[in-house]
Amino acid sequence: MRYDSLYFAFFLGLVWLAFVLLPWRGWILLAASIGFYAAAGVRDSVLAAIIVLSNYGFQFLIERDRRWLYPALILDFGCLAYFKYRVFLATAIGFDVFTHDIVIPLGISFYVFQLSAFLIDISRGRALPFHSLARFALFKLFFSQLVAGPITRWRQFGPQVHRLFDRKLVVRSRLIGLGLALCLLGLVKKVVLADSIGPIVDAIFRDGPGGAAAAWLGVWLFTFQIYFDFSGYSDIAIGSAYLFGIRLPRNFATPFLAPSVAQFWQRWHITLTRYLRDYVFVPLADVRVASRRYRVSQHFFAMTLTMALCGLWHGANFTFVLWGALQGMAIMLAIMWSRYVRAPPALIGWAATFGFVVTTSVFFRSPSLGYAFDYLGTMFSLRAGFPAVGEQAASRWQLPADGMGELLMVTGCLALLALHWLEARVTTLQAAVLIWRLDGTFLRMLFAGAAVWLLLLPKVQDNPFIYFRF
Amino acid sequence: MWRKIAFQAAKLLAGILAATLAVELLFVVISSTPLRWVLPVPPISLYGPDPDTGYRHRASISGLWLTEHRSLIKTSSLGLRDRNRNIDHDGTRRAVVIGDSFIEALQVDESETAAAVAEEILSGEHPGTEVVNLGLAGARPAVEVARLQSEGSRLRADAAVVMLYVDNFLSTSIIDDSEFTGYRRDASGEFRLSYGFRSSGGYRFRTSLAGRIYYWLLDHSQVARIINARKNSGVLADWSDAAAAPAQPPQAGWSCASTLLDNQLALWREGTPSQANALADAFIRDLAAIRQSRDIPIIVAAWNIEARCPSLAAKRSALIEAMRARIERAGLQFLDLDQRIVEKAGPAGVAKLHGFGASFGTGHLNVEGNRVYGEIFADVLRPALFAQP
């Protein structure tokens, strides 16, 4: 069930009505979440049920003996590896024993991470097991963040789940206006911006760019497409949770305005970055493998490996691995730079960071490493032109020949950056407080009405959320 | 208490109204600036009621067509997918091209449609020559005949090209007249043009005052267009597995299955099934009657008879000869359009005349496709228009 569909709006409205009118709030959200995931199909639902039930059992075992953590993680990540990476791994070792491709179960990357974080937290004494299966299931399956995050920790979400079932969670009615505003913001990002940019990006990457300018345009637009797509989804997820009085962690904080790569990753997919920091980077960086003088090298290696794994999490392809490794190396470089060299002026830092993010996005979007290097070669005019790709490509993608068309393209690209800057100015705490204060029937109908109008707009092309495929 | 409820209801309505106005404003801004080529906009609503065919383009409306390829559509003052032109054309020759969405060609600019290309070619040779686009999406043989009767007469056409999609006679929808003009049997058992749609509730609504208000809203409100588009596609249209599935790559190549021609051969050579045969007879009879009464050449362009399969050459040849004989016997001209397309574009080039972007190779005619069709129409209309006494 997609968040940018009318039937999700109906679903959300019905669940909200039941939630407000009936006393069994935790059970209502659990039933809604199960129904929401069941729409993904029987196979995905059965797999999710098996993983949830097994993890429910493991949490008690881990509480008693933390060595049970390893079989639990093997099971969780084994499922992830089998469904998401088996073809990649088998191909990488040159021995593909599997003959049939398997569709990746919906949201498996997200819920496996969330469950593993919970189990690790229990083993570290930072989380308490759920004795009630229903509460554990809601913690895992809450429909608002089930499919693509935010990846929530026990300390953020666990107590809220208990309060829901204990009927202690007071629905702050003034959060409703804020929740609807976030849903509307997310829909604008997705329906108006991301879905409009997507076809141009697809055309450029499908046909191959006809020159350096077209190549830059393609990757620039893709960078914004994925931001609007994923942050739009996250806004809807957080906003719809607000309708039920539940607070989910923020996932984006206008990352393209970051002055360094390290800060970029503190503002982009924040919950994933924190997961990787706490459960991958810190253990790798802290493990004693060499003397103190190799500490920096170890950190460099740990960061590169962590981010390479981050890349691999996004997709089973070497393009993602290289993209992640480059991010890791850049983060270490930025950290070392800030430690040993005087920081550059903020504008230069921002431009270098944004340029790096845009350029490395080529690896994120390209179907193969060869394609990515060809594309980069075209971007930096290292080759005469992009090699012909695919039989469908009648010709390479060209910019409009007339000056006005080029001007409009450049204006549009800069407008995207301006919109991002505007977002940083508008989505502030003051704005949230203002909505909180003005919250009421009028404001709610304004936000909900505008959101429904956007949902009613017929879809010319199917554009599922990009992160749903991860 | 009632006062409080009324106050809340007023706030609720005010909120919805404000949202509607905000969305209206947003789409007005997008539609009237170059942003319309990128950002989402409600699609144009083109069609209105017509007593002769059930539906037709409404006159002088404009908006964006979004399906397959985004294009800015402006219908003519005569209510056609055509440029504005005077209804009179004394001293010059005028042809009409009648067909379905392939002739209508909403995916390209008006000046790039096949009819416009044919006009450009012919008017270059004989200044003032006109080729009018009478394409109408979904037009079946009965609608084409009705359109030639009404519009062809109104435009005082000197020649006509009528597209004949050969599978149409084998479809039962051709006898359905509940929404558009169809063929129904009269008391004597003959198939005649039938206008059952005129008594339908939908048609009565569209021709009533309420209908006129509805169309006025469609022409002046973006939000009304959103509602209309959603009504047409279905409220929960995106509820399907297909919507979530990744887009399938367009199918390259074509089928050379013999069965495709067998049914046509049975119809045109042996006259079976009898109902389809009677329908084909009615179509040819009606076109011949128009040709006779108006004394204009009518070219029937048979279409969708695969011409790229050497293995089917014999069967195809037999079918074409059967069709040609039957159509020419009625005094009409016959055009093997598929063969002409292959001659122009080459067997491998036919697919390149269709589709846009990711769907290149399938779907409606692209700019190149319209150009090729336009050249063919010009070729066949030239003698029809200028060889007459």
Side-chain angles (χ1 to χ4, degrees):
Chain A
M1 197 184 295
R2 286 169 47 168
Y3 288 9
D4 59 336
S5 61
L6 204 56
Y7 49 86
F8 178 73
F10 285 140
F11 168 82
L12 196 61
L14 282 175
V15 175
W16 185 81
L17 275 179
F19 185 84
V20 170
L21 297 174
L22 301 173
W24 316 286
R25 292 182 163 171
W27 291 100
I28 288 165
L29 287 187
L30 177 61
S33 300
I34 291 170
F36 178 87
Y37 199 78
V42 175
R43 188 204 61 156
D44 288 13
S45 304
V46 168
L47 178 70
I50 290 170
I51 291 177
V52 167
L53 285 172
S54 57
N55 277 266
Y56 176 71
F58 273 123
Q59 57 171 351
F60 302 115
L61 296 171
I62 292 167
E63 190 187 26
R64 253 183 276 158
D65 182 349
R66 73 190 303 263
R67 281 177 297 183
W68 279 102
L69 177 65
Y70 302 109
L73 293 182
I74 287 169
L75 176 80
D76 287 350
F77 285 102
C79 285
L80 184 63
Y82 178 73
F83 284 103
K84 190 168 175 178
Y85 300 109
R86 58 173 191 81
V87 173
F88 171 73
L89 293 171
T91 309
I93 59 170
F95 183 59
D96 190 353
V97 292
F98 306 101
T99 51
H100 300 291
D101 201 3
I102 295 176
V103 179
I104 300 169
L106 188 66
I108 190 169
S109 305
F110 287 91
Y111 68 68
V112 162
F113 267 37
Q114 185 162 324
L115 282 171
S116 62
F118 174 60
L119 296 180
I120 295 169
D121 281 350
I122 289 180
S123 74
R124 291 175 179 177
R126 293 178 188 164
L128 294 172
F130 287 93
H131 292 283
S132 155
L133 177 61
R135 294 178 189 210
F136 179 75
L138 182 60
F139 170 72
K140 159 66 208 72
L141 294 173
F142 179 46
F143 68 84
S144 187
Q145 49 88 62
L146 170 64
V147 181
I151 300 166
T152 49
R153 307 286 185 84
W154 177 85
R155 66 170 184 276
Q156 293 162 329
F157 191 33
Q160 297 188 75
V161 169
H162 286 304
R163 286 202 293 274
L164 271 172
F165 278 93
D166 296 338
R167 301 185 191 178
K168 288 177 184 168
L169 187 77
V170 180
V171 180
R172 297 180 184 86
S173 61
R174 289 197 168 185
L175 276 181
I176 293 170
L178 194 58
L180 289 171
L182 277 172
C183 289
L184 177 60
L185 176 68
L187 279 174
V188 169
K189 284 180 182 175
K190 169 66 179 164
V191 176
V192 178
L193 296 169
D195 289 356
S196 302
I197 297 170
I200 305 173
V201 175
D202 291 347
I204 295 174
F205 277 84
R206 184 189 60 244
D207 298 344
W216 278 103
L217 176 74
V219 72
W220 178 288
L221 291 181
F222 173 67
T223 307
F224 279 96
Q225 182 202 358
I226 197 163
Y227 169 72
F228 287 131
D229 192 284
F230 192 28
S231 77
Y233 157 80
S234 297
D235 289 338
I236 299 171
I238 296 167
S240 53
Y242 270 164
L243 301 182
F244 304 98
I246 293 170
R247 294 180 187 211
L248 296 179
R250 196 179 183 188
N251 227 6
F252 288 89
T254 49
F256 297 149
L257 302 181
S260 73
V261 179
Q263 284 201 33
F264 171 83
W265 277 100
Q266 288 165 17
R267 297 160 75 155
W268 174 277
H269 204 171
I270 297 167
T271 55
L272 175 68
T273 308
R274 287 183 181 163
Y275 175 96
L276 293 168
R277 181 196 64 193
D278 293 347
Y279 303 110
V280 183
F281 173 72
V282 171
L284 282 174
D286 280 356
V287 68
R288 289 276 175 91
V289 290
S291 63
R292 284 184 71 84
R293 63 189 164 131
Y294 296 112
R295 202 70 169 163
V296 173
S297 307
Q298 186 182 344
H299 279 200
F300 187 88
F301 171 77
M303 181 58 76
T304 306
L305 183 62
T306 301
M307 294 307 289
L309 287 171
C310 169
L312 189 61
W313 175 87
H314 281 86
N317 195 327
F318 282 113
T319 52
F320 288 109
V321 177
L322 182 57
W323 169 80
L326 286 171
Q327 303 296 323
M329 286 188 260
I331 291 170
M332 281 308 295
L333 196 68
I335 290 170
M336 280 157 39
W337 183 291
S338 65
R339 189 173 293 177
Y340 301 113
V341 185
R342 217 179 85 188
L347 191 65
I348 292 176
W350 167 79
T353 303
F354 187 60
F356 173 78
V357 169
V358 169
T359 307
T360 51
S361 294
V362 170
F363 292 104
F364 202 99
R365 182 60 178 78
S366 296
S368 66
L369 282 177
Y371 185 101
F373 285 118
D374 282 339
Y375 196 99
L376 284 168
T378 310
M379 275 170 75
F380 293 100
S381 294
L382 298 176
R383 55 169 59 251
F386 196 82
V389 283
E391 291 179 4
Q392 303 300 329
S395 61
R396 292 177 197 120
W397 199 91
Q398 302 284 352
L399 281 171
D402 58 317
M404 181 54 78
E406 288 175 350
L407 182 67
L408 287 172
M409 289 273 185
V410 172
T411 309
C413 287
L414 293 176
L416 291 173
L417 199 54
L419 274 177
H420 194 62
W421 178 86
L422 189 66
E423 188 192 350
R425 297 288 168 276
V426 171
T427 54
T428 58
L429 186 61
Q430 289 89 333
V433 170
L434 186 68
I435 292 173
W436 178 292
R437 281 190 187 149
L438 296 177
D439 188 35
T441 308
F442 174 80
L443 206 61
R444 289 177 195 175
M445 284 301 108
L446 176 66
F447 293 142
V452 169
W453 280 122
L454 288 183
L455 292 175
L456 279 169
L457 203 64
K459 288 180 174 55
V460 177
Q461 186 177 327
D462 183 41
N463 293 298
F465 284 100
I466 293 172
Y467 266 68
F468 277 24
R469 75 182 73 142
F470 299 148
Chain B
M1 182 195 163
W2 286 110
R3 199 173 162 179
K4 197 175 172 184
I5 292 173
F7 188 59
Q8 284 297 320
K11 284 204 284 188
L12 189 142
L13 287 174
I16 293 172
L17 184 66
T20 307
L21 289 174
V23 170
E24 180 74 35
L25 184 66
L26 171 74
F27 287 120
V28 165
V29 169
I30 293 174
S31 300
S32 49
T33 62
L35 290 172
R36 64 174 174 246
W37 298 116
V38 180
L39 296 185
V41 280
I44 186 174
S45 173
L46 276 171
Y47 306 103
D50 181 64
D52 298 312
T53 52
Y55 68 112
R56 62 170 299 149
H57 301 111
R58 288 180 294 118
S60 302
I61 58 162
S62 65
L64 279 165
W65 179 259
L66 306 177
T67 310
E68 290 185 80
H69 191 248
R70 211 173 265 229
S71 62
L72 185 62
I73 303 293
K74 286 180 183 168
T75 58
S76 75
S77 56
L78 299 176
L80 305 172
R81 163 64 167 144
D82 194 36
R83 67 177 175 86
N84 281 330
R85 63 178 86 232
N86 291 326
I87 200 147
D88 298 322
H89 65 107
D90 295 332
T92 58
R93 311 292 286 170
R94 176 181 279 171
V96 294
V97 181
I98 299 179
D100 61 5
S101 54
F102 276 75
I103 299 303
E104 188 183 38
L106 295 171
Q107 299 75 18
V108 298
D109 282 347
E110 187 281 318
S111 61
E112 294 166 335
T113 61
V117 170
E119 179 174 88
E120 190 184 351
I121 294 168
L122 293 175
S123 64
E125 300 165 1
H126 303 274
T129 305
E130 297 181 27
V131 180
V132 183
N133 184 348
L134 289 186
L136 189 64
R140 298 170 309 206
V143 171
E144 290 183 313
V145 170
R147 200 153 165 81
L148 181 57
Q149 277 180 350
S150 57
E151 291 300 322
S153 172
R154 184 164 75 120
L155 291 161
R156 291 192 287 121
D158 300 307
V161 174
V162 179
M163 298 287 281
L164 172 59
Y165 186 76
V166 292
D167 287 339
N168 269 330
F169 296 119
L170 295 166
S171 161
T172 52
S173 66
I174 193 173
I175 58 171
D176 178 13
D177 66 348
S178 60
E179 289 186 76
F180 327 119
T181 308
Y183 272 118
R184 307 277 292 183
R185 286 190 193 277
D186 64 6
S188 64
E190 290 279 308
F191 276 110
R192 303 280 175 201
L193 289 184
S194 174
Y195 307 92
F197 62 86
R198 288 174 184 167
S199 55
S200 71
Y203 183 81
R204 285 207 301 268
F205 166 76
R206 288 191 286 274
T207 50
S208 68
L209 176 63
R212 285 199 291 277
I213 293 170
Y214 177 68
Y215 286 118
W216 184 90
L217 281 171
L218 284 182
D219 293 344
H220 294 88
S221 165
Q222 301 289 332
V223 164
R225 286 184 179 184
I226 293 178
I227 295 172
N228 186 62
R230 182 54 84 158
K231 173 184 74 71
N232 292 339
S233 65
V235 175
L236 295 177
D238 18 9
W239 177 263
S240 70
D241 289 334
Q248 294 296 312
Q251 298 296 310
W254 55 88
S255 170
C256 285
S258 165
T259 48
L260 292 173
L261 291 182
D262 289 342
N263 292 337
Q264 297 298 338
L265 266 173
L267 167 61
W268 291 93
R269 216 163 50 174
E270 294 149 29
T272 55
S274 58
Q275 175 174 290
N277 189 50
L279 286 164
D281 273 344
F283 175 70
I284 294 168
R285 176 203 66 211
D286 288 346
L287 288 182
I290 295 169
R291 186 202 67 81
Q292 209 158 23
S293 66
R294 293 195 41 78
D295 193 22
I296 58 168
I298 296 176
I299 301 151
V300 178
W303 185 62
N304 201 34
I305 309 168
E306 189 53 71
R308 291 172 287 182
C309 302
S311 61
L312 298 179
K315 270 190 181 176
R316 188 180 190 282
S317 177
L319 172 61
I320 292 295
E321 283 318 306
M323 290 180 78
R324 184 190 301 278
R326 205 158 148 187
I327 286 168
E328 289 185 347
R329 203 181 306 135
L332 307 169
Q333 296 178 30
F334 178 81
L335 170 64
D336 180 0
L337 185 57
D338 297 290
Q339 185 60 43
R340 295 291 282 270
I341 294 166
V342 170
E343 285 166 12
K344 282 258 180 197
V350 174
K352 292 176 184 168
L353 307 180
H354 297 263
F356 303 82
S359 300
F360 184 71
T362 58
H364 284 93
L365 295 176
N366 52 34
V367 174
E368 178 63 10
N370 273 283
R371 188 188 62 74
V372 168
Y373 276 55
E375 287 175 2
I376 295 169
F377 292 154
D379 288 346
V380 296
L381 282 170
R382 193 176 289 115
L385 282 171
F386 301 107
Q388 288 182 89

